[in-house]
Amino acid sequence: MIVCHNKTAIWTVDREVSYTELLSRISDFSEAFSIGRGDRVVILSENRPAYIYALFAIWKNGGIAVPIDCTSSAADLAYVLKDCTPTVILASEACEAVAREAVERAGGSQQVLVMTPDMENRATSAPQAKIDFDMQDTCLIVYTSGTTGSPKGVMLSFQNIYFNIDSVSKGVPIFTPDVRTMILLPCHHVLPLVGSVVAPLVTGGSVAFCPSMSAPDLMKTMAEGQVGIVIGVPRLYTMLVKGICSKIDAHWATRMLYRLCKSVGSRALSRLVFSSIRKKMGGVVKYFVCGGAALDPAVAQKMKTLGLDVLEGYGMTECAPMIAFTRPDDITPGASGQPVPGCEVEVRDGELVARGNNIMQGYYGRPEETAAVVKDGWIYTGDLGYVDDKGRVVVTGRRKEIIVLSNGKNVNPTEIEQKLEAYQDIVKEAAVTENNDALVAIIVPTPALAAMTDAQIEEKVKWEILDKYNSDAAAYKKIFNVKIYRNDLPRTRLDKIQRFKLKSLLVSDGSADTQPEVIDEAMSDEYKIIKKYIESEKVCKVRPTDHIELDLAFDSLDKVGLQVFLNTSFGLDMTTDKLSEFKSVADIADFVAETKTKMHVEKIDWKKILREHTTLKLPQTWITGRIFIALSQPFFKLYFKLRGKGAERIPDGPVIIAPNHQSFLDGLFVMSFLKYRDIKNTYFYAKEQHIRRPFIKFMAATHNVIVMDMSNLKESIQKMGEALKKKKNIIIFPEGTRTTDGKLGEFKKTFAILSKELNVPVVPVSIKGAFQAMPKGTMLPRPHKVQVEFLPPVYPKQSAESYENITKEVYDSIKENQEAES
């Protein structure tokens, strides 16, 4: 500890404590209890100056501090007493009763020392404390249950703590003697304990206690306490941004200034334009530190636009706590910064692993569990992510939190929750979980909707939020049910959702399905026919109130199937867009009953549809396309080190080429390995939304691009069938869209329908490296090795006679190649 005797060490709304007084009080507290070296001492208290005195007093006496949540029950505390057998409990007056009950439950003999206000504030003449320790000594045992509900005591050494402090004081000077840090989060967590208590005082700075997390207390403490660093969790900053932006949005002039700052991206300009915000915060705030959970990149971007520097960190209790943190000169929303100096970070099988002097000594009394996460000095974090080309750690999800559906698809619930919580007028909180192999959104509505019933809010959420979300989401990421929950979601004190408790929130009258059961025997014949068709296609129960997307998970091809069924059975020519407008299956049936021209049930015959005579014209084939590909090949080979193999596997005659979709350039990468005559006879397809500008339309019409009209997908499929019937080749990306995370997405079965009904082979193509070269959302490609491999063709007659089996065989072929060593 850097001692500045007359300098303020601790600031509260009532008084200030100098370093001289701080060291004397530590001595006072240390004399109040007697322990042996290495004995454990529990701290059970709210945030207050006595917490600091107690912590350093334990260390002065050679003990190990065990900070425990002051809101713990007697049963929770008794578990800790049995697990680590502490000698003393230092408790606040408010926690005394719980502490004594816990000792009785545990059958222990721990001394309970109550830290009274008098003990905390009385005048002291004790000598200044001197703390002697060895860097390898254990100084903390921090119990972490995270989101799993299984508490383990993480043993941290002085070396672990000082490694963290040195990185943010000597390595990167964030904590300096002239900066005051706010104590806001509960100190029993390692992030606020190290970041807002130990680091500031060890480096000669000071701390300011905030009485609560309310906005008035927060702003008052920042202003009057002259706070320079705030350590908070994502919801704190979400609340802060929401309040500021609501005032900005209220006037056109401030909205224009905000847009200007966002487009320019200048920190100096943002600080100048929004200087009044900083003044209201005291005018000296330097950094907002965010930890505990991932900060929504949209919130981080807004704070950056407002000129407020957010330093995101990534770590865990087991690393005391940091693994990586954002450098002040490299604030990148969505990234957690570069590794702590001296800490190595790697990615193994998608999981982040780290090694350095910040890694814990182990779990107290649990060598097997320690060995399961710390291997050869590397800690396996359980977090999924990657390290970008600038060395920044980007966390994409937590392995234990990832929802794995029966089809093998992995869903990151946090990603979806952030999108749902963007609707701040409706959603206070959101959580996503799985029930019966489908995603369910648990929505905590805002207080503004208190007068509405759950059913009314559910309808509002379905049509104003989920309808929009599902329209852009991959099929396996769509939300198919909603649960309205009126209380706060279960969270840890550091704001992480306790996901193991979510399933219990779905139970209402013994069922997660809160929709009333509708008796449909009295429904129309048209409804019963449509219902039978949908149940046979989707293999699910159908109710009159079900929406085809929100409740029945219809994708674009499902809609085409229903469109064709309605045409053949009822004589209706209904577009897929029109189908999406109906709120329920019953509404579709009512419309059919009023407008049908016949009623004759027929099964969809894709063979008949694809083989019927059409007058559809294929795009033209100009030589400029082949010239462009020929000119591109040398550049691709030089810039991307493009390599390919297996093109000889492409059979003669019409063929469907089916690559995975990693980048905007995938089509050109594949075409680079086709023969000249094959390029001429190969057609792409593209969604209409990408072919809207006149010039782009012209280029598509003259260079073998079949435009997919999503409102008339049947005709688009017929057009691809027409190309195959004319002995042409088709390149189809089965995923339908580019990957956003580099992983293989769900395959649509359009290509399988074409393959089976026209007896055309499919050549799976595995593309590797293109995602790293040009991920979705980037404008300019990066140099990165790209590999293209044409895999053995899949012949429809060699597969079982179903679209699903052909789709699966192609998917499995590409997946196996993707997972193989490059």
Side-chain angles (χ1 to χ4, degrees), residues 295-574:
L295 180 64
D296 184 349
V299 174
Q301 182 59 58
K302 287 178 181 178
M303 292 194 72
K304 186 175 182 180
T305 301
L306 294 169
L308 305 176
D309 292 344
V310 183
L311 306 184
E312 293 187 64
Y314 164 61
M316 55 197 303
T317 303
E318 290 85 342
C319 295
M322 287 193 302
I323 294 174
F325 67 95
T326 298
R327 301 332 191 238
D329 59 351
D330 183 29
I331 297 175
T332 305
S336 298
Q338 297 174 341
V340 172
C343 176
E344 299 174 72
V345 176
E346 292 183 0
V347 180
R348 298 180 182 177
D349 296 326
E351 181 179 0
L352 294 165
V353 299
R355 178 172 67 179
N357 287 333
N358 50 339
I359 307 304
M360 68 171 179
Q361 296 175 313
Y363 295 119
Y364 185 84
R366 301 191 185 196
E368 292 181 0
E369 292 189 42
T370 301
V373 297
V374 181
K375 304 170 185 177
D376 297 324
W378 292 89
I379 188 163
Y380 285 69
T381 66
D383 292 309
L384 305 175
Y386 62 92
V387 179
D388 70 11
D389 56 358
K390 299 291 185 182
R392 307 183 196 97
V393 175
V394 180
V395 182
T396 58
R398 182 149 182 80
R399 189 181 292 278
K400 290 181 180 179
E401 294 180 357
I402 295 297
I403 298 170
V404 182
L405 301 175
S406 63
N407 60 7
K409 296 296 183 183
N410 294 336
V411 178
N412 180 359
T414 303
E415 169 194 337
I416 303 175
E417 288 158 0
Q418 290 175 348
K419 292 179 180 178
L420 300 181
E421 289 178 350
Y423 295 88
Q424 296 177 353
D425 293 338
I426 300 174
V427 181
K428 178 185 175 185
E429 295 181 83
V432 173
T433 188
E434 172 271 336
N435 192 52
N436 295 327
D437 207 39
L439 298 182
V440 181
I442 301 173
I443 301 294
V444 179
T446 61
L449 306 183
M452 298 176 66
T453 66
D454 286 2
Q456 289 172 328
I457 297 174
E458 183 175 326
E459 284 299 300
K460 190 176 182 69
V461 169
K462 277 188 176 182
W463 295 108
E464 296 184 28
I465 300 178
L466 296 187
D467 187 46
K468 297 175 184 177
Y469 165 77
N470 282 347
S471 65
D472 292 329
Y476 68 95
K477 291 184 179 181
K478 290 187 176 183
I479 302 293
F480 296 130
N481 209 341
V482 182
K483 168 71 177 180
I484 304 303
Y485 186 66
R486 299 279 184 169
N487 298 314
D488 290 336
L489 295 175
R491 293 178 181 271
T492 67
R493 295 289 295 282
L494 279 191
D495 209 41
K496 294 181 181 178
I497 294 177
Q498 294 177 304
R499 297 192 182 275
F500 68 98
K501 295 182 179 180
L502 292 181
K503 284 288 184 74
S504 64
L505 304 187
L506 297 178
V507 179
S508 177
D509 297 327
S511 171
D513 186 355
T514 59
Q515 286 188 309
E517 189 64 36
V518 179
I519 306 298
D520 60 14
E521 282 81 358
M523 301 298 289
S524 67
D525 290 339
E526 290 83 1
Y527 166 77
K528 293 176 181 177
I529 292 170
I530 295 170
K531 172 187 175 181
K532 184 176 181 181
Y533 164 77
I534 296 174
E535 288 182 338
S536 66
E537 288 291 310
K538 300 298 290 183
V539 193
C540 68
K541 184 178 179 181
V542 175
R543 296 169 298 191
T545 55
D546 284 341
H547 182 272
I548 61 172
E549 289 180 342
L550 299 179
D551 299 310
L552 300 174
F554 265 55
D555 61 20
S556 56
L557 193 60
D558 292 326
K559 291 179 193 174
V560 172
L562 181 56
Q563 175 194 14
V564 173
F565 175 78
L566 295 177
N567 180 267
T568 57
S569 301
F570 301 103
L572 293 180
D573 191 10
M574 192 185 303

Side-chain angles (χ1 to χ4, degrees), residues 680-749:
K680 179 181 178 180
N681 291 319
T682 300
Y683 286 76
F684 291 95
Y685 79 90
K687 294 179 181 177
E688 185 184 29
Q689 65 195 62
H690 302 313
I691 314 289
R692 288 178 178 170
R693 296 180 181 178
F695 176 73
I696 301 297
K697 284 184 178 179
F698 169 77
M699 293 298 291
T702 54
H703 291 86
N704 288 27
V705 178
I706 296 173
V707 179
M708 300 289 285
D709 182 353
M710 300 309 290
S711 65
N712 194 350
L713 193 56
K714 173 189 171 185
E715 183 177 295
S716 300
I717 293 174
Q718 286 179 318
K719 193 176 289 188
M720 288 193 287
E722 192 69 19
L724 293 169
K725 286 189 287 183
K726 292 181 177 180
K727 308 301 182 183
K728 309 294 184 182
N729 302 327
I730 292 284
I731 293 181
I732 297 178
F733 294 101
E735 294 161 284
T737 187
R738 283 171 281 165
T739 178
T740 57
D741 57 8
K743 297 177 182 176
L744 202 60
E746 181 183 20
F747 277 21
K748 306 293 187 293
K749 60 185 179 184

Side-chain angles (χ1 to χ4, degrees), residues 15 21 25-33 48 50 53-54 57 90-91 93 113-124:
R15 63 188 301 251
E21 185 179 354
R25 292 199 179 281
I26 290 171
S27 288
D28 259 352
F29 269 64
S30 69
E31 292 173 2
F33 62 94
R48 49 189 283 202
Y53 309 152
L90 301 178
E93 284 186 308
L113 178 62
V114 181
M115 301 182 293
T116 64
D118 178 64
M119 181 181 176
E120 182 178 65
N121 297 319
R122 69 176 176 232
T124 178

Side-chain angles (χ1 to χ4, degrees), residues 262-320:
K262 183 178 181 180
S263 62
V264 173
S266 166
R267 181 173 180 268
L269 177 62
S270 292
R271 288 202 161 191
L272 175 64
V273 171
F274 297 112
S275 59
S276 61
I277 295 174
R278 295 173 58 78
K279 287 179 182 177
K280 289 179 181 178
M281 296 177 176
V284 297
V285 63
K286 295 180 68 175
Y287 305 119
F288 293 89
V289 177
C290 184
L295 180 64
D296 184 349
V299 174
Q301 182 59 58
K302 287 178 181 178
M303 292 194 72
K304 186 175 182 180
T305 301
L306 294 169
L308 305 176
D309 292 344
V310 183
L311 306 184
E312 293 187 64
Y314 164 61
M316 55 197 303
T317 303
E318 290 85 342
C319 295

Side-chain angles (χ1 to χ4, degrees), residues 27-235:
S27 288
D28 259 352
F29 269 64
S30 69
E31 292 173 2
F33 62 94
S34 178
I35 57 173
R37 191 164 191 83
D39 283 355
R40 277 76 60 201
V41 179
V42 165
I43 306 178
L44 186 69
S45 173
E46 310 83 9
N47 286 359
R48 49 189 283 202
Y51 206 112
I52 297 176
Y53 309 152
L55 175 69
F56 285 99
I58 294 167
W59 290 345
K60 180 179 184 298
N61 288 351
I64 300 170
V66 186
I68 300 296
D69 188 350
C70 66
T71 66
S72 296
S73 67
D76 291 337
L77 180 57
Y79 171 88
V80 174
L81 301 185
K82 290 179 181 178
D83 190 63
C84 70
T85 59
T87 304
V88 179
I89 301 174
L90 301 178
S92 67
E93 284 186 308
C95 297
E96 180 184 4
V98 169
R100 296 194 184 283
E101 183 184 344
V103 172
E104 186 176 344
R105 284 188 177 219
S109 58
Q110 286 86 3
Q111 174 191 0
V112 177
L113 178 62
V114 181
M115 301 182 293
T116 64
D118 178 64
M119 181 181 176
E120 182 178 65
N121 297 319
R122 69 176 176 232
T124 178
S125 59
Q128 294 181 13
K130 182 180 180 182
I131 302 173
D132 294 317
F133 58 86
D134 186 280
M135 292 297 281
Q136 302 305 318
D137 287 346
T138 303
C139 64
L140 289 171
I141 296 178
V142 182
Y143 277 83
T144 174
S145 59
T147 58
T148 66
S150 178
K152 297 184 289 290
V154 176
M155 297 187 295
L156 299 174
S157 67
F158 282 104
Q159 181 185 57
N160 296 152
I161 301 298
Y162 273 86
F163 184 81
N164 271 265
I165 294 173
D166 283 351
S167 70
V168 289
S169 58
K170 297 176 182 177
V172 180
I174 294 171
F175 289 91
T176 56
D178 60 329
V179 175
R180 180 168 292 164
T181 302
M182 180 186 289
I183 299 177
L184 177 67
L185 302 176
C187 286
H188 68 276
H189 289 290
V190 72
L191 169 63
L193 187 65
V194 174
S196 61
V197 175
V198 183
L201 295 177
V202 166
T203 56
S206 59
V207 298
F209 278 91
C210 187
S212 76
M213 291 193 188
S214 69
D217 280 346
L218 180 66
M219 296 302 287
K220 181 179 180 180
T221 303
M222 289 180 68
E224 295 182 7
Q226 292 291 284
V227 169
I229 296 176
V230 177
I231 297 179
V233 292
R235 284 216 293 168

